[in-house]
Amino acid sequence: MSSQREPTITRDNLLQTPEQEHGSSRPRQFSPANVRKLGLTRKTRMRRDFREDENPEERERTHKELELKPLYKELLYTITHSMGKPSSAEVYTESQLHQYIQEAFPMTEAEHSSLTEWVYGTEPPVYCLMATVKEAKEILGKDISGFSDPYCLLTIMEDEEESRTRRSKAKPSKSIVKDVVSNDKIYQSEIKNQTLNPIWNETFILEFTDIAGASFHLEMWDKDEEVSLTQKLEDITTNLSSLKRIIKDAKKEKGTDDFLGKVVLKLQDLHCTEDNWYNLEPRTETYPNRGMCHLNLKFIHKARDETLSAGRSAYTNYCGILQQCVQARISKQKETAPWKGALCGEAQTLLEFYASQNDLSPFLQDLAKWVAYSKLYQRLEVDSSVLFQQLTSVEYHWHQQELPRQQKQELGDSLHGFLQYGLCLVAKYRDIFPPTPSATPKLHTLLRILVQICKTQAFQKLNPAEFELLNEVSDAVETGTEEWFTIKKGLHQPMTKDVAEIVSALSRLIGEVQEDIKHNKDAWNRVFLSAVQVDVFTVVYKRFDSLLAKEVRKTLSLLEGQMEQAVANALFPVYLSLQAIHKDKAFLQTRGSLELTNFQEGFREALPYWLSRVFSLTQGRVERAVQVDQLQPLQSGAVPIKHSTSAVDLVACIQPICQLWEQLSWPDPEEAFMLMVKLTEDVCKIVVNYCHTLKERVRVLSKNSDPGSAINMLCVVVNDLEHLRSVLNQLPTQLNWAGLRVWTQNVIGQSQFHNTLPSQLEQAQSVLSREIRSALDTLGKKLNTDIETQVRSMSTRRRIPSKSTEDAAAPLMRYLEQEMQYMNENLVQENFNSLLTPLWNNSVKILYQVATQHPQQEGLVVFCQRLLYTLQCLQQCFHAEGNGLPLKTLHSDEYMVLKAHLTHNSLSSLQLIEKFLERKIQEQNVNTSEKYGAVTLLASYSRSDQRLRVEVLNAVNLLPMDSNGLSDPFVQLCLEPKHVFHEVEPRCTRIKSCDLNPLFEEAFDFMVSLDQCRAPGACLVLTVLDHDTLMTDDFEGEAFLALKGLPGAAREMTGDGLGSQPEVTPAQIRLPLLHPKHNDSILTLLESRRGEQEAQDYVRKRRQREKQSQERI
């Protein structure tokens, strides 16, 4: 609060008397519009007593003579003739009080001595004790009725009378006052009939000459009137309990009053003001508990010397003394905290003595304090509790006591003047109470004081004119806002008539208004609402709305036809500030039309310039970001960042374009859609340009770098593009396309919306995808070249006999492990997975090419074994225990062909024959067609005698091979492969002439072991032939029966001996006849191994069957 007040308290205005300050007429009411004018008028009037050309020293001397010395003499007189003790616990001597007033009223020693001597020569006052008998309670009932008719006798006994009282104690007497003091010194109260709790509220002034040895006496008596015998008898009949009192009453003298009790107080023991309940003391111990009496005692002066301060009232002097004591207290206060109303003990004692001696009521004392403290509040920082306390006291006394007319006028003027002063502060609340934690509570306190003043009965009675505080505060805030705006407008006036300078000045002004609105919303509004229920934010906002709209229209009218990039750039901050202010309208408590509602229309001409500027700035930043990018990952570790600095910078550079959309918040939906199209187009252009710039950066950095570094940079580029693609996918969310679609659905068709914005984004994404694929292809080609080199090195003849399969494949696997680990660490997961698939396919292709291009038959098996092992290792590497490519992707058609080729070429000729037979068995198992007929048999294996028993039952639906349309079929039974059953000869059934469904029913036994039956490819080959006498037998068909699945061979047998073996039940099996297909791959492979006679014999046999086959490829 110190900012609104003068730095020091000047004696000329602080010590003015109420008469000097107010004069004889009541000041007129002021409206909030001239509040500040009122403040100036009051200050001018306060200084009216002094001439402006008067010398300061002369002014000081005059002030001391006219103001201070009269008060000084009053205090010296008060000290000299003080009576009673002060209410404070500490009692001050006369010298201590003299020393205090000499410091508080700055007097020299000579002045003090002179004034003291003058005071000693004045007439002393008449010392008096003002005694107010308020009431009594629970006194004795002396009458027959049980009640009393009490009255009080009051007097002051001094030394001589006290000695006389002591001498009379030898003769018992209940009356002291009547017997010792003359009747002219005895004061009697009214008689209160028939009560034990009388109420008097009577005041008596008792004079005395010397307080030393004097005492105050109060005796309470029951008035006894003469009563007839008839009345007494009537009392007996109605109240038998009073019989004792009647008997006692009969004994005493007629007309004698009864003693009820007394109060005796030594004057020296009293405070200058007392207000207590006192026990009524007895003369004897007959009735020790006689009730209590409530007394108010005050030492006052009568006939006080009028030359001390001629023409001044005691109230006026009290005000002056109070103000001077407060000034002295504050001048000695070292703390910077507000003054809380505490005075030193000497000041309190002097004020209490002076008020008591001059009989100033508590109301007048509190009134003087309110006037003094409210004035002090306008100059120094005073704690609010001081004013609240005095307002409460004034309101309390208002209902208890009537003020003199002059003091009423002073109180009314003081309350009204403080209200007007408070409204002055409210109008300037921005400067006086800034929005800080320390200042806003002071504003809240001021407003509460104003509310409290308006609630007081004193203000409502003394200010009959209607005064609505809520309206007055609102008007003051509105007026202050307009003045504040005018001042700020003057501070931000353009220095020249340049258009850019004019716009810049407007921008600064709107920035100030925007900040002020924010403070009103966040800080001041809570204060005004809680204190006076004024929505200051709404008041201020609406006033600023009108003022700003006028300024904006005026400035924009000057810019018509002069729009250029510099002017548009200067207008952008203006637009943003107005946009922020416009959004704050959501916090208004009352709705209504605002002048800034469509302010965006005035900035339509500048909009293209803003878009162009943000695009060019963003494009330049992106280019600079790429130029300094070293294409290295930003961070590696637990959470690696695998893209480079330019990708991060690009995202940061794009953000301003997205923010521009939010900042503009363009109100027209159709124009907003076109604005979104332009912004999306700009973002896509920047993304595409970034791709091209980044490729050029890779080319520049790769010129003088090794291949490994080039690969590393290429990985970073792929990551950058992938990161950018993820950011681009988030663009619809960032720009809130969904919200725009809903907003524009009435003006923009759905097809037009989706054919515009998403298509732009898809084009940019396609460019990114293409560039990512291109980079991945480049990486894949480099890796494929190295893989091919490693694979071909395994086919060198000199390396075949010198290394094992694992050692031969180790270099390739180490290379792949190293490269895969690097790619996994330096590529984001999406791109790493994208790289794995083509790399796997190319690896399979390379292996197939190498496997099929091996020039030497010698060592082919070993080489294919190495390649097959390599293929298995590659599969494990690319699958990575489920973390890499899925098995479905790995097992492509090319992979299956390669695996079959390598598997076959890795086998020996005998193994190939076994593999061939296993394939034929599988073919037999899946074939259900009997177009060549079928053969039925019973087969089982006996482990006890190692005997395979086959019973050929019949054949059906055989092909007619002879010219007569029939055949002469027989069945040939042969166990294969021959290298397993080399000692077993083929067997044949009898020939059945001219029969296509022959019945054979012939059994054959083959002596073979169980291991032979379970050997790979072990099977029974049944060949059905048509017997020709002169020519070679014709081929009807063949069937393959796997031995390991026959009863007796298919499951483990239990038992200890041969006799305990369970009997095997033969299985009846129907086998469709097959015809071999041409160009079987295994036969072709066997045929290529010309150096192996057994293989060549087997191939010739099977080729012969192919020639007889009716199957076609």
Side-chain angles (χ1 to χ4, degrees), residues 28-60:
R28 62 185 178 88
Q29 301 283 343
F30 285 87
S31 66
N34 55 11
V35 165
R36 278 155 296 282
K37 183 177 179 181
L38 170 65
L40 295 176
T41 304
R42 289 174 64 88
K43 290 183 179 180
T44 304
R45 187 167 59 216
M46 288 175 182
R47 294 169 171 81
R48 194 176 298 166
D49 293 338
F50 302 100
R51 297 188 300 273
E52 295 182 358
D53 57 348
E54 188 175 1
N55 189 303
E57 295 181 359
E58 182 65 22
R59 181 184 304 175
E60 185 72 20

Side-chain angles (χ1 to χ4, degrees), residues 1073-1091:
L1073 295 178
L1074 304 176
H1075 278 217
K1077 297 179 180 179
H1078 294 264
N1079 298 327
D1080 186 276
S1081 59
I1082 294 179
L1083 294 179
T1084 303
L1085 181 58
L1086 286 172
E1087 191 175 20
S1088 66
R1089 299 181 179 181
R1090 302 187 183 279

Side-chain angles (χ1 to χ4, degrees), residues 568-582:
N569 294 345
L571 278 175
F572 190 65
V574 175
Y575 182 89
L576 294 183
S577 298
L578 290 176
Q579 188 72 270
I581 292 173
H582 186 62

Side-chain angles (χ1 to χ4, degrees), residues 917 920-925 927 929-930 932-937 950 952 954-955 958 971-976 1017-1025 1035-1043 1069-1076 1102 1105:
L917 292 173
K920 300 302 289 184
I921 293 172
Q922 182 178 6
E923 183 181 351
Q924 181 72 60
N925 292 335
N927 182 54
S929 173
E930 295 184 359
Y932 300 118
V935 61
T936 305
L937 53 84
V950 180
V952 182
N954 63 356
L958 297 179
V971 179
Q972 184 183 62
L973 294 83
C974 180
L975 293 178
E976 292 190 1
C1019 62
L1020 173 65
V1021 181
L1022 296 96
T1023 306
V1024 180
L1025 299 171
F1035 178 70
E1036 287 276 1
E1038 61 184 358
F1040 297 84
L1041 177 63
L1043 300 182
I1069 304 171
R1070 182 183 179 96
L1071 297 174
L1073 295 178
L1074 304 176
H1075 278 217
R1102 294 308 304 174
R1105 287 280 186 266

Side-chain angles (χ1 to χ4, degrees), residues 1 5 322-323 326 329-330 333 337-343 348 365-378 380-395 414-415 418 445-446 448-450 452-453 456:
M1 296 272 297
R5 303 184 183 121
L322 174 64
Q323 294 174 4
V326 171
R329 176 64 175 175
I330 294 177
Q333 182 173 308
W339 181 62
K340 296 186 177 181
L343 294 174
Q348 293 178 9
Q365 295 179 48
D366 287 330
L367 173 59
K369 291 178 181 178
W370 160 255
V371 173
Y373 296 166
S374 62
K375 290 179 181 177
L376 187 64
Y377 182 89
Q378 301 178 32
L380 292 176
E381 198 164 0
V382 178
D383 192 89
S384 60
S385 61
V386 177
L387 296 181
F388 279 120
Q389 181 180 353
Q390 299 310 317
L391 275 176
T392 304
S393 299
V394 169
E395 181 69 4
S414 176
L415 294 175
F418 190 87
T445 299
L446 172 64
R448 284 182 56 213
I449 293 174
L450 300 183
Q452 189 69 19
I453 289 175
T456 59

Side-chain angles (χ1 to χ4, degrees), residues 519-654:
H519 291 327
N520 276 281
K521 175 169 64 74
D522 298 339
W524 289 316
N525 197 49
R526 292 195 302 268
V527 176
F528 279 89
L529 278 176
S530 62
V532 290
Q533 287 74 51
V534 172
D535 182 15
V536 71
F537 169 74
T538 300
V539 175
V540 170
Y541 187 93
K542 290 186 175 180
R543 192 70 194 114
F544 277 143
D545 176 73
S546 176
L547 295 171
L548 284 179
K550 180 179 178 181
E551 291 298 321
V552 170
R553 286 194 296 266
K554 177 181 176 182
T555 302
L556 292 179
S557 64
L558 298 175
L559 302 179
E560 293 182 0
Q562 302 185 47
M563 187 60 62
E564 56 184 18
Q565 189 65 55
V567 176
N569 294 345
L571 278 175
F572 190 65
V574 175
Y575 182 89
L576 294 183
S577 298
L578 290 176
Q579 188 72 270
I581 292 173
H582 186 62
K583 289 181 179 179
D584 283 335
K585 71 177 183 179
F587 298 96
L588 293 177
Q589 297 299 318
T590 57
R591 302 297 179 183
S593 60
L594 298 173
E595 297 186 36
L596 284 177
T597 300
N598 297 317
F599 74 93
Q600 295 92 343
E601 296 179 357
F603 296 86
R604 186 177 285 106
E605 189 178 354
L607 186 58
Y609 293 91
W610 295 343
L611 297 176
S612 175
R613 180 173 182 269
V614 72
F615 175 78
S616 60
L617 288 176
T618 303
Q619 182 63 37
R621 291 173 183 172
V622 170
E623 292 177 355
R624 289 192 295 272
V626 175
Q627 291 173 1
V628 299
D629 193 358
Q630 297 302 315
L631 299 181
Q632 297 295 327
L634 282 177
Q635 176 186 342
S636 60
V639 184
I641 299 177
K642 300 179 180 181
H643 43 267
S644 64
T645 57
S646 63
V648 178
D649 293 340
L650 175 62
V651 176
C653 292
I654 292 178

Side-chain angles (χ1 to χ4, degrees), residues 28 57 88 96 119 124 143 202 216 242-243 317 411 488 511 534 594 648 974 994 1035 1043:
R28 62 185 178 88
E57 295 181 359
S88 61
Q96 288 177 321
V119 169
D143 294 342
E202 294 185 51
F216 167 76
S242 62
L243 180 60
N317 289 334
L411 177 58
K488 293 298 182 181
V534 172
L594 298 173
V648 178
C974 180
C994 301
F1035 178 70
L1043 300 182

